[in-house]
Amino acid sequence: DTGVSQDPRHKITKRGQNVTFRCDPISEHNRLYWYRQTLGQGPEFLTYFQNEAQLEKSRLLSDRFSAERPKGSFSTLEIQRTEQGDSAMYLCASSFDLFRPDTGELFFGEGSRLTVL
Amino acid sequence: EDKVVQSPLSLVVHEGDTVTLNCSYEVTNFRSLLWYKQEKKAPTFLFMLTSSGIEKKSGRLSSILDKKELFSILNITATQTGDSAVYLCAVIADSGYSTLTFGKGTMLLVSP
């Protein structure tokens, strides 16, 4: 399968614990994005990488959230000291350069669903 | 702050009906508008629109962009139960993050 893959698909944790999600993008894509989606809402941008450089972070991203893409391939998103409000679907996506009209779409993974008890 | 507003938020139709979904936006330095279909999991890409007035078609789905009035519509003709999904509209603009700003989506239910 050459799509975007995410792991784990589901995670249930107790408040205060740390969790880490992994994303493996499509191998030819240089951009990798993290989004968060809650019920009844569209995906909200969290952060994105161009190769290994983290170029933008949303104001939504508190300091409990950290993302890395150490070798410009897979990425991890860590949430420290989880809170119930962190419960959401965390979507990873990858793309070529978004501003190229012929290759502009994002390809999404199936998401990692987090439930914080 | 970039805004993308979709309407209606939800819609129930009968199989065979035609539906029109709306997306309006307020962004600075608009680049493109994209439509996605989301069933239970990942959004899947439908269309990317960059130029006004040029209709994009794929089977029973079509979409068009009006950059003067700042909106797009997504049409689905002869709806089928498999069209039931959330349809997401998203915009790429220079003013915001270098990524997509999504609307809340329109939840479409096609009943048999």
Side-chain angles (χ1 to χ4, degrees), chain A residues 11-107:
Chain A
K11 179 74 177 176
I12 300 173
T13 191
K14 291 184 179 176
R15 193 176 49 178
Q17 299 293 306
N18 298 345
V19 296
T20 300
F21 301 116
R22 176 180 169 126
C23 171
D24 287 89
I26 293 171
S27 57
E28 307 85 62
H29 287 172
N30 55 354
R31 288 197 178 195
L32 184 149
Y33 308 81
W34 286 99
Y35 283 83
R36 177 172 66 191
Q37 187 175 26
T38 53
L39 200 61
Q41 302 292 320
E44 294 174 299
F45 168 72
L46 294 178
T47 188
Y48 98 92
F49 293 83
Q50 175 103 8
N51 301 312
E52 66 275 8
Q54 187 174 19
L55 294 189
E56 288 194 59
K57 290 198 285 189
S58 164
R59 290 178 289 273
L60 295 175
L61 208 64
S62 82
D63 55 10
R64 295 184 298 105
F65 287 68
S66 61
E68 293 183 341
R69 193 182 183 197
K71 294 181 183 176
S73 56
F74 74 91
S75 175
T76 57
L77 176 70
E78 182 183 18
I79 310 173
Q80 296 183 322
R81 305 181 303 282
T82 51
E83 302 172 357
Q84 287 182 324
D86 297 331
S87 295
M89 176 76 85
Y90 290 85
L91 291 166
C92 176
S94 68
S95 78
F96 294 107
D97 181 349
L98 255 187
F99 295 118
R100 284 173 54 186
D102 57 330
T103 60
E105 65 266 29
L106 287 184
F107 293 85

Side-chain angles (χ1 to χ4, degrees), chain B residues 20-110:
Chain B
T20 298
L21 309 182
N22 303 294
C23 176
S24 63
Y25 59 90
E26 285 180 36
V27 300
T28 306
N29 297 326
F30 171 88
R31 288 290 193 114
S32 304
L33 184 145
L34 289 82
W35 286 96
Y36 285 82
K37 178 182 182 182
Q38 187 174 26
E39 295 173 87
K40 290 189 178 175
K41 297 170 184 174
T44 53
F45 173 76
L46 294 175
F47 297 112
M48 181 176 188
L49 303 157
T50 305
S51 302
S52 248
I54 298 174
E55 186 182 51
K56 294 226 174 170
K57 288 198 76 165
S58 176
R60 296 175 295 103
L61 276 68
S62 64
S63 183
I64 197 160
L65 174 69
D66 186 329
K67 288 166 76 172
K68 186 178 174 189
E69 300 297 330
L70 309 183
F71 78 91
S72 173
I73 60 172
L74 175 70
N75 278 322
I76 309 174
T77 58
T79 50
Q80 302 171 357
T81 54
D83 295 326
S84 297
V86 174
Y87 290 85
L88 294 165
C89 172
V91 170
I92 303 169
D94 281 344
S95 57
Y97 302 108
S98 301
T99 181
L100 300 177
T101 300
F102 283 89
K104 290 187 177 183
T106 294
M107 181 180 294
L108 173 65
L109 179 62
V110 181

